[in-house]
Each structure stands twice: as structure tokens, then as C-alpha cells.
Amino acid sequence: MPMKFDWKRERRWLASFGLALAAAGVVRYSTQGALTRLSEILLIAGAVFFLAGVVLSFRDIVTFFSARSSRLGANMLTITLLVLVVLGLVNFLGFRHHKRIDLTSEQLYTLSDQSKRTVSQLKKDVDIIRFSKQGDAAFKDLAAEYVNAGTRVHYREVDPQEKPEVARQYNVTHMNDVVVSSGAHNETLTGTGEQDVTNAILKVTRDTVKTICFVEGHGEKAIASSEQDGLANGDHDLKSEGYQTKTVNLVSAGEVPADCSVLVDAGPRQSLFPQEAAFIAKYLDAGGRAALLLDPEMDPKLDSVLQAWNITLGSNVVIDASGVGRLFGTGPAVPLVVDYGASPITQNFTGTMTFFNLARTVTLTDKNKSDPEGIELLKTSPRSFTIPNLKTKEVRYDPAKDTAGPLSLGVAAERNSGGGDSSKHARLVVIGNSAFATNQWAGLQRNGDLFVNTVNWLAQDEDLISVRPKNPASRRVILTEAQQRELFFGSLIFLPGLVVISGALIWLRRR
């Protein structure tokens, strides 16, 4: 027997069928990213069927909504739709006005002030390009921070297999390479952290490469040495920030070479010749910048230079009697510094430590003198004091001969020797220790940062100062043996036992 078609019953499904067609059109459009002909047909047909269903079933709809239960359901539906509209509006505003909040205590996912300042002050456009088939969400978020920090930075992802000509343009040979480019300058990143990106931006936007010259010929620390007392790590850090380094022998050169942006004499073991001291003095008088890292128990013969800069180099050895060094496996001959002067070199060192294995005092001769302008950078603890030398049989404080802490281990000074010409703005940093910058000690707390920041400041690259990788704080919970036992009994015996006993009592009460 043939089935009879009931139009009044079937017309109820027209509106639902129309909504289904419209939903299919919306899904197709969202996945393809373009309004194709088929998507248009689905949307139009869905709208027609939905309106037809509403018109043909209008009397049924009115009857349905006149019932009390229907009105309650309609109210609930209306509230649900309003909530959905509000959520949609909030998401739309969030998409149009993107704002990320970094809740980590170390601000691990937020650009440092130095990076933001670098990006905001750019005079050239910079492109950050990641060559990969699939993007890296973490790096994309980091790149978005740079894009949002200034109008000059742009980010894009390129599939090198689909666009090999772009990969050849930037000399890309490996998948997932990241290139920072500005004009004709390209830099392929060796890492994908904030420090790597910021330093690459500085490199490609610089017009010149600055040279850091290390004095040799008197037993100084060698930049090519990977031994414990070498400076290979510091040399690598300087090169990673866009500098080039070289060694100079002042005697054979007859002067400080003109291409030296900064002159560093790191730990001479023999005295400099008078003519070498004269070369350094002339270099500074002409607006040069130098760092002198001078260990105790040797006379560098640089008194004429230091006196002209209002600096006194102590003929002593600093002893730290606080005992804090024992926590790090060091002795009293390794002064610990936690008090820093107000200088860009140490601006972010508050609450951190630096260590100096065998140090001497370096102080301002006249603290009231304003030319040159100087600041004592590094102050030891009040429980430190000086001794004449390490030959003393019994190391103890003698008020008659020794000086009690806090003691200054370093001075940074500057003077303008050329009127308004910034290129004649001379700077000098003197620290009574060179070991802090060596491979053995540079990785301890802020020692490495102190060395690199000193060079940054001398080279007038304050934007580079303290742009260092951020490390999450260690939040391990260390329990004593008694606490471990309490945790074991509490979680594995007491709480489960409490549940079992409660269940048994309830069961007995219900019987």
C-alpha cells in the first residue's frame, strides 16, 4: 500500500533543513577561506527553505509559543542566545584588539624593555622570515611581540619547497631556518630566543661593525683560549652581539689602532711599558674607550692614566669574611658582590651576585670631583677587609693597616673631550680583577653579563645591555624525611581510610 504524504507534518522540517544547508555553507566557507559557487548555493538555498518553513508553519509556531512551557523554553533559549552573542562579541573584540598577559614571575613570554626600545627606535624596516612547512607556535608568538612593539618589524612564514627562489635569495639551506633581514643585510639565527632575535635586528640595522681590541704581550687572558683562564666564552658572546674582536700589541703597533672601538687589557701579569701607558692615555684623550681588568699583587704601571681619570688602584687583596662564598664552594679570597652602583652596566643586577677570585680595590680618588664623572660599580659586604698581600701568614683584619668593607672593586668613568661631538665621549672602566670574565667564572651568576655589559657600555651600545636569555626560576619542593612520611600516611592511608570509614558508617545507619 503506497505511503500517503502528509504535507502539514513534513513542512515542520523545512526550517530545520534550511538551517542545515546554511550551516553547511558556513562551514565550507570557513574551511576554504573563499566564497565559492557551491557555498553560495548552500547559503541561499538554506535561507529559502528556512523562510518557507517559518511561513508555512507560522500558525503552529504561534500555538507552540502560547503554551506556558513553551514560553519558559523560549525565555531560556533567548538567554542562551544572548550569552552566545556576548561571548561572540568578546571574542571579536579580542581578535581585533589582541592583548597577551604574561603571568610568569620572570616575564618569560614578554619582551624586555631593551628589546622594545630597540624595535621602537628602528629607522629601517626589518623582516623576520621562518622557512618551514609547519609553523612554530612558540616562535610565532615571540615574533608577534616584535611586530606589536614597533611598526618597522614584519613577520612571515615561507615554505622553501613551494618557494625555492625565496630560500635561495636568503641563502637558506636548512628547514626551520629563521632569517632576520633589513635591506641588503641578512642574518640567519643560531637560536630562536629573544636575545638571538634582538641581536640579529641590531646587526642587520647597523651601518658599521665595531671592533673590540684585546691587548696582548704581558701575559693577558687570551680570547682564543678555551682553558679555564681563557676568554673564549666572552669572545663568543661579543661576536654573537655583532662585534668583531682582535688582539693588538701596543709596542709593535706604536699606538692604539684607529679601528679599535673599545680597548680591553684583561689581566696583564707584567707591567706595561711607559710608552704603552702613553698610547692608552692619548687614545682616551681623543675620545677612546677602554676596560682595564687589573689583578692584585702586580703593578701595571698605569698610574698616569688612572690619576688623570680620578681613579685609585689599591695595592692590596680583598678578603670576604662573610662566609657566604662557602655556599658556592669558594673561600674568603673570592669577594662576593651584591651591591652595585647606579650605572647602565649594572642596572639590572639588583638581587643578583658577582664573584671575583683574588681582587683588589678600585676607588674614586675624589668623590666630589665631577670631571670625569665616575661611579663606583661594585661594593663588597661590610664583613670584607683588605690585606697587603697573600704572603700574610695569618689572614685577619688589622685596623692599623687594613681597610674595612664595604669596599669598591670597580669604577666606571666618562668625560666629554670633544665638546658636543659624541664620538669624543671618552669612557673608562677599571675593575680590580680579571678572573670574573674567564671561562671558569663567567657562567657563575652575573659574571658573564658584567663583562659583556661593560663592553656594551664602552661601545655606546646601551641597547644591547642585559638583553640576555630569561631562565625560569627553580620551584622544586624539597621535603625532609619527616615531611615525606607525613605526606605518605596522609595521602595513601589517612584520606582513603577516612572515605572507607565514612562509607561503612553510612551503610550501617541505613540498615
Side-chain angles (χ1 to χ4, degrees):
M1 180 178 179
M3 183 180 293
K4 186 177 180 180
F5 183 78
D6 188 351
W7 171 253
K8 290 184 178 180
R9 184 182 64 185
E10 302 301 333
R11 67 188 179 184
R12 301 174 184 174
W13 301 102
L14 284 176
S16 300
F17 181 64
L19 287 175
L21 289 178
V26 171
V27 171
R28 184 178 177 84
Y29 168 71
S30 62
T31 54
Q32 292 186 341
L35 188 62
T36 62
R37 179 60 59 84
L38 180 57
S39 298
E40 290 180 350
I41 293 173
L42 289 173
L43 290 171
I44 293 172
V48 170
F49 278 105
F50 176 77
L51 291 175
V54 170
V55 172
L56 294 174
S57 303
F58 183 75
R59 184 172 298 176
D60 296 336
I61 294 172
V62 172
T63 301
F64 173 79
F65 280 104
S66 63
R68 182 174 181 275
S69 60
S70 299
R71 287 197 301 270
L72 293 175
N75 290 337
M76 184 61 66
L77 179 62
T78 302
I79 294 173
T80 303
L81 290 175
L82 287 175
V83 170
L84 292 176
V85 169
V86 171
L87 290 176
L89 181 61
V90 170
N91 277 276
F92 174 75
L93 293 175
F95 176 78
R96 293 293 299 270
H97 305 281
H98 181 63
K99 180 67 176 178
R100 297 173 69 238
I101 301 176
D102 186 356
L103 299 178
T104 59
S105 59
E106 298 85 6
Q107 295 295 288
L108 297 175
Y109 307 106
T110 302
L111 293 184
S112 65
D113 292 338
Q114 291 86 352
S115 293
K116 291 178 182 177
R117 184 168 64 249
T118 297
V119 173
S120 64
Q121 294 177 352
L122 286 175
K123 300 296 189 296
K124 304 176 182 178
D125 287 341
V126 174
D127 292 317
I128 302 175
I129 310 167
R130 183 179 180 86
F131 291 86
S132 64
K133 291 186 69 68
Q134 295 181 340
D136 184 330
F139 184 78
K140 190 173 183 178
D141 286 343
L142 176 63
E145 291 286 342
Y146 283 91
V147 173
N148 294 332
T151 59
R152 292 284 192 175
V153 179
H154 313 281
Y155 175 70
R156 59 189 168 118
E157 295 178 349
V158 176
D159 185 344
Q161 295 179 348
E162 290 184 0
K163 298 182 178 180
E165 69 281 1
V166 179
R168 286 194 296 270
Q169 176 186 351
Y170 293 99
N171 297 319
V172 171
T173 56
H174 299 91
M175 190 68 76
N176 298 321
D177 274 355
V178 178
V179 175
V180 176
S181 174
S182 180
H185 302 288
N186 302 323
E187 182 73 21
T188 301
L189 301 186
T190 57
T192 55
E194 179 188 347
Q195 181 189 29
D196 304 293
V197 177
T198 299
N199 290 339
I201 291 174
L202 289 166
K203 288 180 187 179
V204 299
T205 54
R206 278 179 176 173
D207 296 323
T208 59
V209 177
K210 296 180 180 180
T211 301
I212 313 302
C213 298
F214 287 81
V215 177
E216 64 177 359
H218 314 90
E220 285 90 352
K221 306 291 190 294
I223 58 175
S225 174
S226 298
E227 300 295 329
Q228 289 189 339
D229 64 344
L231 296 176
N233 290 341
D235 181 60
H236 174 270
D237 291 340
L238 293 177
K239 288 178 178 176
S240 71
E241 297 198 350
Y243 299 109
Q244 63 183 13
T245 62
K246 71 175 186 178
T247 58
V248 296
N249 187 306
L250 298 180
V251 173
S252 59
E255 62 178 353
V256 177
D259 64 341
C260 291
S261 301
V262 176
L263 182 72
V264 180
D265 195 2
R269 296 177 183 173
Q270 290 87 36
S271 302
L272 276 68
F273 294 111
Q275 58 266 41
E276 291 178 293
F279 295 154
I280 294 174
K282 181 180 179 181
Y283 171 71
L284 291 171
D285 289 341
R289 297 125 195 175
L292 305 176
L293 313 181
L294 306 173
D295 294 315
E297 302 201 297
M298 65 82 55
D299 183 3
K301 300 296 184 184
L302 290 172
D303 291 344
S304 59
V305 176
L306 300 178
Q307 288 172 5
W309 281 80
N310 190 35
I311 295 174
T312 298
L313 183 67
S315 179
N316 51 42
V317 177
V318 177
I319 298 297
D320 189 345
S322 65
V324 178
R326 297 174 189 169
L327 300 175
F328 301 90
T330 64
V334 183
L336 169 71
V337 170
V338 295
D339 185 12
Y340 303 95
S343 167
I345 297 174
T346 54
Q347 63 182 357
N348 295 321
F349 280 29
T350 303
T352 63
M353 297 175 283
T354 45
F355 299 82
F356 302 86
N357 183 30
L358 296 182
R360 70 201 305 169
T361 59
V362 180
T363 59
L364 290 171
T365 307
D366 182 357
K367 291 181 173 59
N368 296 319
K369 194 172 182 179
S370 59
D371 184 27
E373 182 180 355
I375 184 76
E376 293 183 343
L377 286 177
L378 311 162
K379 289 293 187 68
T380 63
S381 75
R383 296 193 60 190
S384 60
F385 57 90
T386 62
I387 59 174
N389 52 62
L390 292 175
K391 297 177 182 177
T392 305
K393 293 183 179 180
E394 184 179 359
V395 178
R396 62 185 181 87
Y397 175 61
D398 184 352
K401 298 184 297 182
D402 304 329
T403 304
L407 303 168
S408 171
L409 302 185
V411 168
E414 58 182 326
R415 61 156 44 121
N416 193 340
S417 56
D421 188 356
S422 62
S423 66
K424 301 295 184 182
H425 203 71
R427 289 179 171 179
L428 175 64
V429 174
V430 182
I431 297 176
N433 172 265
S434 65
F436 79 93
T438 61
N439 303 326
Q440 180 181 3
W441 294 90
L444 190 60
Q445 286 282 314
R446 301 305 294 271
N447 281 27
D449 289 340
L450 175 62
F451 174 67
V452 178
N453 286 5
T454 296
V455 175
N456 292 155
W457 182 74
L458 290 170
Q460 293 186 317
D461 287 330
E462 282 86 349
D463 285 343
L464 278 172
I465 290 178
S466 294
V467 182
R468 306 286 186 266
K470 301 171 184 175
N471 298 312
S474 175
R475 304 189 188 280
R476 293 179 297 173
V477 177
I478 301 176
L479 301 178
T480 64
E481 188 175 346
Q483 291 172 329
Q484 292 179 27
R485 285 197 302 268
E486 292 172 0
L487 181 62
F488 172 79
F489 285 108
S491 59
L492 298 181
I493 296 177
F494 177 73
L495 290 178
L498 186 61
V499 172
V500 171
I501 293 172
S502 300
L505 291 174
I506 294 173
W507 179 76
L508 290 173
R509 181 174 295 180
R510 288 182 176 180
R511 286 195 62 183

